[in-house]
Amino acid sequence: MSQAQSPELDPRALEAVVAQVLEEARRAGATAAEAAASRDSGLSVNVRLGEVETLEYHRDQGVAVTVYMGQCKGAASTSDLRPESLREAARAACRIARFTTEDPCAGLADARLMARDWPDLDLDHPWGVSADEAIERARICEAAARERDDRIVNSEGASLDSFRGASVYGNTHGFLGGYITTRHGLSCSVLASEGAGGMQRDHWYTVARHAGDLEDAAEVGVRAADRALRRLGGRRLSTRRCPVVYAPDVARSVIGHFLGAIRGGALYRKASFLLDHLGRPVFPEFVHIHEQPHLPRALGSAPFDHEGVATRARDLVTDGQLSGYLLDSYSARRLGMETTGNAGGVHNVTIDAGEQDLEGLLREMGTGLLVTELIGHGVNTVTGDYSRGAAGFWVEGGEIRHPVEEITVAGNLRDMFMNLQAVGRDVDRRGNIRTGSLLIDGLTVAGE
């Protein structure tokens, strides 16, 4: 049975599961409770050198319940959705709560913040792709990469994945809601080699809610091959200070570091270099960063967060000033604030694009580094210190001159944000953070 035909992904069945768990929690003595149930199915195929390496059908289900005895909290989960197992999970959570310490900030999100009505976000597009069709697409993708150039000497394979899942959340405020999402993707990774130029690896991928929005399989393979080929002959650089352009797929990580610094957990623990920065400049005046949780078909869209709080479009940075944090109900109470509907994460964070594409930003930069890959996790959110391994291309006169590798890009995030010069219009929409290329001045590039 294909994903499109499966009756098990009806949210109404999961609503009954959540309702039962909540009722069992009440009977066991909980003063408040919340539960989330999910059921999903999918197909994954990996092809390498034209042969099928793995073919997996996967199904998963589960329910997690959190109960409160006053302000004592307990939690339990199970993958068995039979009534007796749901009853035992609720009772187990209550037993745990009786042994935990009271926390004045523990509890459900405020009832008045629960989502009431929400739009259809167009998130459910089952593919129903068969195993044979998935294998053929992956083979086409890899073959296009391997046939692109004689210098493509090996492959790490091409993979196709198709996922469909239903999730439901409910709590004792009376909130009960759920929806179905799909996610389909195709990726390819190959290796290129040319004499003394060594061996280089690169990849490309496409991902979307609707299979019709995926890039052509052969095009994904070609792009993976071209990305590996252009890295041949990479050199190290002498240590210097210069401007840097982050390509869109790695620029996402720079915005991600900003989001990490304004999350409630880091703030109430006083582990963020942006502590107490609300209303203060953190970027140049032209920067606008905002959440768009209700974009149709977008990968980060959601009508409500993991606590049932309604999501809404909101600014995080306005005219360069920090205008909002990312809070769930617990961190909000710790900070004396109100949840921002970010329990479970962000929803389509977008930095407004400028007028230039990547080539335009390189011309504006003149001489400097284009970063296309980042390695490692050398970021300290307490101090803002930033140091990551990188690879990319050296640029002179606004033109790429040669690939570079085995370098480190370093600075401080506080300075990096303020030294942002421009945002490209080449926006990468393949994730929950949507950004174009970023031109940042004054970073240290360490090499030889």
Side-chain angles (χ1 to χ4, degrees), residues 20-81:
Q20 182 189 342
V21 171
L22 295 176
E23 179 58 30
E24 296 290 354
R26 287 192 192 95
R27 291 176 180 172
T31 56
E34 57 187 336
S38 64
R39 181 177 280 143
D40 56 65
S41 64
L43 167 67
S44 298
V45 169
N46 181 259
V47 170
R48 181 174 180 271
L49 301 178
E51 300 295 327
V52 178
E53 283 206 325
T54 59
L55 169 61
E56 298 179 358
Y57 289 98
H58 34 92
R59 291 178 180 270
D60 195 15
Q61 64 179 19
V63 61
V65 57
T66 301
V67 304
Y68 300 93
M69 302 282 201
Q71 290 179 306
C72 297
K73 175 181 174 181
S77 64
T78 179
S79 59
D80 186 347
L81 303 189

Side-chain angles (χ1 to χ4, degrees), residues 343-412:
V346 296
H347 311 287
N348 301 319
V349 170
T350 304
I351 180 168
D352 285 359
E355 299 180 355
Q356 300 187 83
D357 57 12
L358 176 58
E359 288 71 23
L361 289 189
L362 296 183
R363 288 192 294 271
E364 180 177 339
M365 178 174 67
T367 297
L369 178 67
L370 167 62
V371 172
T372 58
E373 182 182 16
L374 290 167
I375 306 164
H377 303 281
V379 178
N380 186 327
T381 56
V382 178
T383 63
D385 289 338
Y386 176 95
S387 178
R388 297 194 64 182
F393 300 88
W394 183 247
V395 176
E396 291 181 1
E399 300 288 340
I400 291 176
R401 298 303 178 184
H402 60 80
V404 297
E405 60 185 5
E406 297 181 14
I407 57 172
T408 300
V409 178
N412 186 278

Side-chain angles (χ1 to χ4, degrees), residues 266-286:
L267 295 169
Y268 78 71
R269 294 184 180 95
K270 300 188 184 303
S272 170
F273 67 96
L274 292 182
L275 184 68
D276 298 326
H277 271 62
L278 271 183
R280 295 169 57 181
V282 291
F283 286 94
E285 287 187 2
F286 71 87

Side-chain angles (χ1 to χ4, degrees), residues 44-48 127 134-135 137-143 145 155-162 184-190 201-208 214-225 430:
S44 298
V45 169
N46 181 259
V47 170
R48 181 174 180 271
W127 192 353
I135 291 168
R137 284 194 182 228
R139 280 177 170 158
I140 290 171
C141 180
E142 187 193 40
S155 169
E156 294 186 345
S159 298
L160 184 144
D161 302 281
S162 179
H184 315 295
L186 179 64
S187 63
C188 183
S189 176
V190 292
R201 168 199 169 276
D202 216 320
H203 72 286
W204 190 249
Y205 71 96
T206 178
V207 61
L214 295 175
E215 294 177 30
D216 178 75
E219 178 61 25
V220 172
V222 167
R223 294 190 72 169
R430 296 175 298 170

